Amino acid sequence: MVNDVRALLHDAAATPPGDDIDLAAVLDGGRRQVRRRQARFAGGLAVAVAGAVAAGALVGQGTDGRDAPEASLVPRPDGPVVRLSDARPAKEGTDYEVLASYTNEDLDAANGQYYDGVTEDGRLLFRDGPHGPDNAVRYALLDPATGAKDWLPDFPEHQQVFPLELGADRIVLLTFRTGSGNGVRAWTYDRTSRAWSSVQWPGLPRKADVFQADLGPDGRLYLGVPATAGSPPPGGWPTGPDGEAEDAGAEGETYDVWSVSLTDPADVRDEHLRAGDLAFTDDAMIWTAATNGINRRIHVRDLATGAEHDFDPHSGKRCNLLGFGASGDRIVLSQYCGTYDDGRDDRVQVLDLDGRTITTLQDDDIGGGVNGDLVQVTSYKRDAAGTYVYELDSGRFLRVSEAVSSYSLGGPTPAGYVLWDTPVGTASGPQEPIPGATQWLARWLP
């Protein structure tokens, strides 16, 4: 998939848009990619290249003659702030224990083999492919202690795959329902019977978004159906200090939430809830008022009592919400808050369930997400690139690696595990990716 998408993007960049192009869709797509620093699922290289192509089409599209934003400095968020320079180097054997690693020498030339996540019982979901004209993919469960691979029966689908749940009893993967990228289909592998089954839902709106999928503690799959979308200002986005389209403070988008059973195609429920992003803990359902733009409210529902409350996260007037997650009594927001003369303002904000800011990780070109008691931060900042880990319980902030690969790899991992990647090889040019990558799986040590 990496190379197929890459070739298409090169073709798209070399071909001018036709007269019948949907400019609103192009503008919205470009805005979405520029704001997003990481994909929710695998495919990071494609996202990065797509963003560059779309942004290049947008910059200079304005007809109102607006200049770049006035010279200014990155503002400081409210509350405690942690920067990349505050991290200390993590020590193997003291802070973490490496369990497995795998190297692909040249992902730019051929699709390879990857870790697609870690099951609850510590097995790696090992993917080989897609390969060949049919984009065939096969999976194995890899024991990191021995390296032995238990190959699963052939996976019947030949579309892009998104791991949803990697359990001790079952594995659930999502695909598009159709080859054109519409709808959602779930594939379940029963680890006892060693058989695949699938389900799709005739009663689910066909525009349900596979990128807005969350598994609830009740075992239901919650999906977003596009409801409202922001749009660029008249004349297009202004050009920021870095020469790219500046879309901080953009109007966000919303989704209508539906839920479905993973076993019964007739069990489809409209949750009568409009949200931006959605996340669950064992005890709460948490959602934002908007995503992919400014978000001004976060809502929390107690799953036992149904009681709800909401609050203003005080994220900053120009912060676009790009990533959202929750664990225990903590909420984590990944945000892009603008580009200034002295750099980008990217933030990973940690809140409690009442809206109090615990800390904000702020720096240039970072993004992050939460898994258990760990916030994993990826930095692309020059001279500070790498993977970092922030411990929610202790406040410790550690740097795990000193580089990041050109590809977005990995998948779901249980609490207490960290999965990251580093580059291998040398790029063939200044605009080309570093061809290879090594993935690392580690257990975080208390």
Side-chain angles (χ1 to χ4, degrees):
M1 184 277 293
V2 170
N3 294 288
D4 295 340
V5 173
R6 182 174 172 76
L8 290 172
L9 289 167
H10 277 302
D11 292 344
T15 306
D19 294 335
D20 60 345
I21 189 171
D22 185 347
L23 289 180
V26 172
L27 289 168
D28 181 68
R31 176 170 62 89
R32 181 183 183 97
Q33 299 298 353
V34 170
R35 293 202 319 248
R36 289 201 183 277
R37 301 307 307 164
Q38 60 183 18
R40 184 165 184 170
F41 296 96
L45 173 63
V47 170
V49 175
V53 172
L58 291 176
V59 174
Q61 292 291 322
T63 58
D64 60 351
R66 285 178 299 173
D67 294 326
E70 295 181 3
S72 54
L73 302 178
V74 172
R76 189 185 191 280
D78 294 336
V81 176
V82 175
R83 299 187 64 84
L84 296 179
S85 58
D86 296 321
R88 71 164 177 81
K91 296 180 180 179
E92 184 178 350
T94 300
D95 300 305
Y96 65 90
E97 174 190 3
V98 172
L99 303 177
S101 65
Y102 191 83
T103 297
N104 283 277
E105 296 289 347
D106 194 350
L107 290 168
D108 194 38
N111 288 314
Q113 298 176 325
Y114 318 84
Y115 297 159
D116 259 4
V118 183
T119 65
E120 291 177 357
D121 56 344
R123 296 294 191 268
L124 280 152
L125 181 63
F126 186 84
R127 172 165 61 95
D128 181 16
H131 297 299
D134 293 331
N135 288 323
V137 176
R138 61 174 185 159
Y139 288 97
L141 291 177
L142 186 154
D143 184 342
T146 65
K149 300 182 186 74
D150 175 16
W151 289 101
L152 279 54
D154 288 346
F155 183 61
E157 184 59 86
H158 294 163
Q159 296 190 51
Q160 190 172 359
V161 180
F162 311 100
L164 175 72
E165 180 189 19
L166 304 182
D169 300 319
R170 69 177 185 180
I171 293 170
V172 181
L173 309 177
L174 301 181
T175 65
F176 299 113
R177 190 174 68 182
T178 68
S180 59
N182 291 321
V184 179
R185 186 174 188 175
W187 293 87
T188 298
Y189 175 73
D190 186 302
R191 293 181 61 180
T192 301
S193 67
R194 298 183 61 82
W196 289 100
S197 62
S198 72
V199 61
Q200 48 189 326
W201 306 270
L204 180 68
R206 65 189 307 269
K207 291 186 178 181
D209 192 342
V210 72
F211 296 103
Q212 292 288 328
D214 294 273
L215 190 63
D218 57 359
R220 297 181 68 83
L221 175 61
Y222 290 76
L223 293 157
V225 177
T228 66
S231 60
W237 298 105
T239 303
D242 58 356
E244 295 188 6
E246 175 55 281
D247 55 4
E251 179 184 357
E253 58 196 37
T254 64
Y255 296 82
D256 290 327
V257 179
W258 290 64
S259 71
V260 295
S261 164
L262 286 172
T263 57
D264 183 356
D267 188 351
V268 178
R269 188 166 69 209
D270 182 350
E271 297 292 334
H272 300 288
L273 175 68
R274 182 160 291 184
D277 278 319
L278 179 67
F280 290 93
T281 68
D282 291 340
D283 307 310
M285 177 180 180
I286 306 164
W287 67 94
T288 65
T291 186
N292 217 22
I294 291 179
N295 170 67
R296 295 183 175 87
R297 306 299 292 181
I298 292 179
H299 303 258
V300 180
R301 177 186 295 170
D302 186 303
L303 293 175
T305 67
E308 293 184 12
H309 68 276
D310 63 279
F311 53 83
D312 182 345
H314 298 288
S315 297
K317 64 180 181 180
R318 301 186 68 217
C319 290
N320 296 339
L321 178 63
L322 308 183
F324 184 71
S327 178
D329 60 355
R330 295 292 185 261
I331 301 170
V332 177
L333 302 85
S334 187
Q335 304 158 330
Y336 166 64
C337 302
T339 299
Y340 299 82
D341 284 353
D342 60 340
R344 285 178 60 104
D345 181 5
D346 291 300
R347 306 180 187 182
V348 180
Q349 183 184 9
V350 181
L351 307 167
D352 67 17
L353 295 183
D354 293 318
R356 289 183 290 269
T357 296
I358 305 303
T359 193
T360 299
L361 309 172
Q362 181 189 33
D363 222 300
D364 186 326
D365 229 0
I366 67 170
V370 64
N371 181 32
D373 293 330
L374 305 177
V375 177
Q376 187 167 328
V377 176
T378 301
S379 167
Y380 301 91
K381 183 180 180 180
R382 187 184 300 273
D383 300 325
T387 297
Y388 296 72
V389 171
Y390 176 82
E391 295 180 348
L392 289 174
D393 56 351
S394 69
R396 289 199 310 160
F397 189 40
L398 297 95
R399 185 178 185 178
V400 178
S401 71
E402 297 185 353
V404 181
S405 82
S406 299
Y407 303 87
S408 180
L409 305 170
T413 57
Y417 288 84
V418 179
L419 186 61
W420 74 95
D421 50 81
T422 54
V424 173
T426 303
S428 60
Q431 302 300 320
E432 295 300 316
I434 296 174
T438 296
Q439 290 178 276
W440 306 84
L441 172 67
R443 179 183 295 112
W444 200 253
L445 301 177

